[in-house]
C-alpha cells in the first residue's frame, strides 16, 4: 500500500517534535528523496511574493544526511511574480542555501523553540566564487534570500497580515476577527492541531476561495486543515489542506466526516450563516471536538436577519444563534440547578467550559464541566 501524502507528512510532523533518533527513523521510513519533495511542496505553500527588483536565482540544496545524495532546486525570484522552481542547481545561482534534511524537517514542522537556525549555510555565489556580488545586485540578493528563509521559519506573520495575504475576509473591510483568533489560538500554535472550517469561500466558483484555510495552514505550521463546502472546492487540495464536500445542515454527513477526519482541536463555522444550519452543525460537531479545543461561530449578525432565519423583534427567540448562545450560558451552569430525576447532562452541559462572545463572533471552549455546584450547606438566600 502506498502511504498517502497526508500520512507521510503526519509522520514527519510528529518526528519533527521528537528526538533526533525518532526524526532519523521517520526520514528513513518516508525515504529521504520523498521527505525532501514534501519539504519543497511545503515551502511552495509558504513563499511570499518576492520583492527583489532584479531577478535572482537562489539554489536550495537539501543534503540527505547519512546518505550520499541531495535534492537540488533552483528558485527564480522576481518582484511581483510567483517563484519559479526548477530541478538542479543552476550554474548561475547568485546565492545558495544549504540544509541538512533532518534540520529542514525540524525547522519546517517542529515546535518553534526547536528550530535549528544556524545549521543552514548560506553561500554567495559569484562567477569566480571570489568576487563580491555587484553593488547593484546586493539588495536583490538579500531580499530574495530572505523570501526563502521567511518561508522556512515556523513563525508566521500575525493573523491579520495572513488574512490579507491569502484573501480571507476575517480582517479588513467587514470583519475584525483576527485579534480575537490570535488571543485564543496563540497557545495552540505549536501543536499538531486538526482544524475543520465550514465554508471554504468563493461559492460556486470552484477555483476561488480557501483564503482562511491557507491562513490557518501558515499560522499552525504543524496543523492539518480541513475545509467543508457545499460546492466542489477540490482544486484547493494541497499539503496539509484537505477539502471535504457536504452540507452543513445534514447531521449524518457531518458525523461521518468527523468520524473519518476528527476529532478536531478547532471547528469554525463560517458557512451559510443560516441560523438553522449553524445550530445543526454545532449539535452534530461539538461531540467531535477535543477537550481543550474551540468551536467558533462567525457572523452572529445574521441572528437578527429574518432572511437567514433570524429574528430582530423577539430577542429571546430560541431558534437563533444568539438564542443558542444564551441557552449555552444556562448549560454552563447546569450544576447550579436541580436536575430532573434520572436525567443525564447533555453534551453541552457536560463539556462546555467557557464562552467568549465578541461582536459578531463567539468562541466556545470544550473541557469537562464538572466542578460540582455550590455546596448544599451554602445558604440559598442572603442570611445577613
Ligand atoms: C463566507 S464564505 C467562507 C469564507 C472563508 N471561510 C474565508 O474566511 O476565507 C462561505 C462559504 O460557505 C459555503 N456554504 C454555504 N452554504 C453551505 C452549506 N449548507 N454547507 C456547506 N457550505 C456552505 C459557501 O459555498 C461559501 O463558499
Amino acid at each position: 500500500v502506498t502511504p498517502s501524502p497526508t500520512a507521510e507528512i503526519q509522520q514527519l510532523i510528529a518526528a519533527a517534535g521528537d528526538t533526533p533518533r525518532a526524526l532519523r527513523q521517520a526520514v528513513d521510513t518516508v525515504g529521504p528523496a520523498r521527505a525532501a519533495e514534501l519539504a519543497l511542496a511545503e515551502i511552495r505553500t509558504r513563499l511570499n511574493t518576492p520583492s527583489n527588483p532584479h531577478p535572482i536565482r537562489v539554489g536550495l540544496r537539501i543534503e540527505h544526511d547519512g546518505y550520499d545524495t541531495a535534492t537540488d532546486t533552483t528558485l527564480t525570484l522576481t518582484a511581483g511574480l510567483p517563484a519559479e522552481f526548477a530541478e538542479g542547481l543552476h550554474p548561475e545561482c547568485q546565492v545558495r542555501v544549504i540544509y541538512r534534511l533532518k534540520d529542514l524537517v525540524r525547522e519546517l514542522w517542529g515546535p518553534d523553540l526547536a528550530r535549528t537556525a544556524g545549521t543552514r549555510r548560506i553561500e554567495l555565489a559569484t562567477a569566480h566564487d571570489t568576487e563580491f556580488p555587484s553593488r547593484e545586485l546586493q539588495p536583490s540578493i538579500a531580499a530574495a534570500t530572505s523570501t526563502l528563509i521567511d518561508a522556512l521559519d515556523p513563525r508566521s506573520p500575525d493573523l491579520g497580515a495572513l488574512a490579507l495575504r491569502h484573501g480571507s475576509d476575517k480582517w479588513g473591510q467587514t470583519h475584525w476577527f483576527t485579534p480575537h483568533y490570535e488571543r485564543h489560538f496563540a497557545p495552540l500554535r505549536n501543536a499538531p492541531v486538526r482544524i475543520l472550517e465550514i465554508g471554504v469561500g468563493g461559492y460556486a466558483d470552484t477555483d476561488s476561495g480557501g483564503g482562511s484555510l491557507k491562513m490557518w495552514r501558515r499560522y499552525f505550521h504543524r496543523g492539518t486543515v480541513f475545509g467543508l463546502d457545499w460546492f466542489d472546492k477540490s482544486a484547493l487540495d494541497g499539503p496539509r489542506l484537505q477539502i471535504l464536500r457536504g452540507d452543513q445542515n445534514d447531521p449524518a454527513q457531518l458525523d461521518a466526516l468527523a468520524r473519518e477526519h476528527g476529532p478536531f482541536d478547532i471547528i469554525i463555522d463560517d458557512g451559510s450563516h443560516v441560523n438553522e444550519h449553524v445550530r445543526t452543525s454545532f449539535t452534530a460537531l461539538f461531540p467531535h471536538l477535543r477537550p481543550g479545543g474551540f468551536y467558533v461561530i462567525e457572523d452572529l449578525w445574521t441572528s437578527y436577519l429574518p432572511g437567514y432565519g433570524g429574528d430582530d423583534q423577539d430577542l429571546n427567540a430560541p431558534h437563533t444563534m444568539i438564542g443558542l448562545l444564551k441557552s449555552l450560558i444556562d448549560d454552563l451552569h447546569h450544576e447550579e440547578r436541580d436536575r430532573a430525576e434520572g436525567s443525564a447532562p447533555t453534551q453541552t452541559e457536560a463539556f462546555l467550559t467557557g464562552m467568549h462572545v465578541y461582536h459578531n463572533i463567539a468562541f466556545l471552549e470544550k473541557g469537562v464541566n464538572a466542578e460540582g455546584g455550590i455546596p448544599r450547606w451554602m445558604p440559598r438566600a442572603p442570611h445577613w
Side-chain angles (χ1 to χ4, degrees):
V1 181
T2 317
S4 73
T6 313
E8 290 171 318
I9 293 179
Q10 298 295 336
Q11 207 170 347
L12 295 174
I13 289 173
D18 208 328
T19 58
R21 176 199 279 262
L23 181 51
R24 148 117 267 151
Q25 278 171 355
V27 169
D28 283 347
T29 310
V30 171
R34 177 68 178 145
E37 189 187 332
L38 291 167
L40 280 171
E42 175 78 28
I43 291 167
R44 269 178 188 273
T45 72
R46 294 193 191 180
L47 273 182
N48 295 333
T49 309
S51 60
N52 46 293
H54 294 283
I56 298 293
R57 288 198 188 89
V58 182
L60 174 61
R61 164 158 286 184
I62 305 172
E63 296 172 343
H64 305 167
D65 29 345
Y67 300 81
D68 221 6
T69 49
T71 299
D72 288 333
T73 309
T74 300
L75 288 76
T76 305
L77 304 174
T78 312
L81 299 177
E84 288 171 28
F85 284 63
E87 257 179 56
L89 282 189
H90 194 283
E92 285 169 24
C93 286
Q94 283 96 351
V95 58
R96 289 185 294 256
V97 176
I98 301 153
Y99 254 98
R100 289 194 304 249
L101 176 58
K102 288 201 298 290
D103 295 336
L104 180 61
V105 168
R106 216 188 265 292
E107 178 97 331
L108 287 175
W109 292 306
D112 59 18
L113 286 177
R115 67 196 294 268
T116 47
T119 62
R120 64 179 167 236
R121 304 198 307 277
I122 298 178
E123 296 175 350
L124 286 177
T126 61
H128 306 292
D129 257 353
T130 48
E131 294 163 8
F132 217 62
S134 78
R135 201 171 278 283
E136 197 194 354
L137 276 189
Q138 281 179 35
S140 282
I141 293 174
T145 308
S146 148
T147 299
L148 175 59
I149 299 300
D150 283 352
L152 301 168
D153 195 325
R155 290 164 303 184
S156 69
D158 74 40
L159 272 177
L162 282 178
L164 291 176
R165 180 182 304 166
H166 292 295
S168 165
D169 67 353
K170 293 190 189 323
W171 174 257
Q173 290 184 52
T174 49
H175 303 313
W176 311 99
F177 296 153
T178 52
H180 304 311
Y181 275 118
E182 196 97 47
R183 175 177 183 180
H184 294 287
F185 288 0
L188 300 175
R189 272 187 98 157
N190 274 302
V193 289
R194 295 175 85 76
I195 305 165
L196 170 66
E197 178 157 1
I198 304 170
V200 172
Y203 299 84
D205 180 353
T206 49
D207 287 330
S208 77
S212 56
L213 305 182
K214 290 176 186 163
M215 173 181 95
W216 298 130
R217 172 169 64 183
R218 183 66 183 102
Y219 187 73
F220 294 109
H221 66 283
R222 311 184 71 206
T224 305
V225 180
F226 298 89
L228 171 70
D229 209 282
W230 168 262
F231 293 102
D232 179 8
K233 296 283 168 183
S234 53
L236 295 164
D237 268 328
R240 301 193 291 112
L241 197 169
Q242 193 173 338
I243 299 293
L244 310 170
R245 192 167 180 193
D247 178 4
Q248 75 165 121
N249 201 32
D250 181 335
Q253 277 183 30
L254 297 178
D255 189 62
L257 77 83
R259 280 176 199 280
E260 186 177 350
H261 302 290
F264 302 105
D265 302 278
I266 292 170
I267 300 175
I268 298 164
D269 186 344
D270 185 20
S272 70
H273 307 307
V274 172
N275 283 263
E276 180 200 342
H277 298 184
V278 172
R279 297 183 63 116
T280 305
S281 301
F282 177 70
T283 307
L285 292 174
F286 187 72
H288 295 285
L289 193 63
R290 279 212 183 97
F294 288 95
Y295 195 103
V296 183
I297 303 177
E298 291 191 4
D299 287 72
L300 300 177
W301 62 292
T302 62
S303 206
Y304 305 103
L305 297 181
Y308 282 82
D311 195 324
D312 58 350
Q313 299 300 314
D314 177 6
L315 297 186
N316 289 319
H319 63 277
T320 65
M321 286 185 265
I322 295 290
L324 169 71
L325 294 173
K326 287 175 179 169
S327 75
L328 291 178
I329 298 176
D330 292 328
D331 289 356
L332 195 54
H333 296 94
H334 76 104
E335 290 184 314
E336 306 305 344
R337 298 190 306 279
D338 288 333
R339 172 162 295 287
E341 192 79 24
S343 74
T346 62
Q347 263 286 324
T348 43
E349 285 175 338
F351 299 115
L352 181 69
T353 51
M355 300 174 63
H356 310 260
V357 184
Y358 305 93
H359 179 220
N360 278 336
I361 187 167
F363 290 72
L364 306 173
E365 273 184 77
K366 186 159 181 179
V368 176
N369 183 28
E371 280 176 356
I374 298 298
R376 281 275 145 210
W377 52 261
M378 287 284 281
R380 301 277 132 179
H383 56 289
W384 54 88

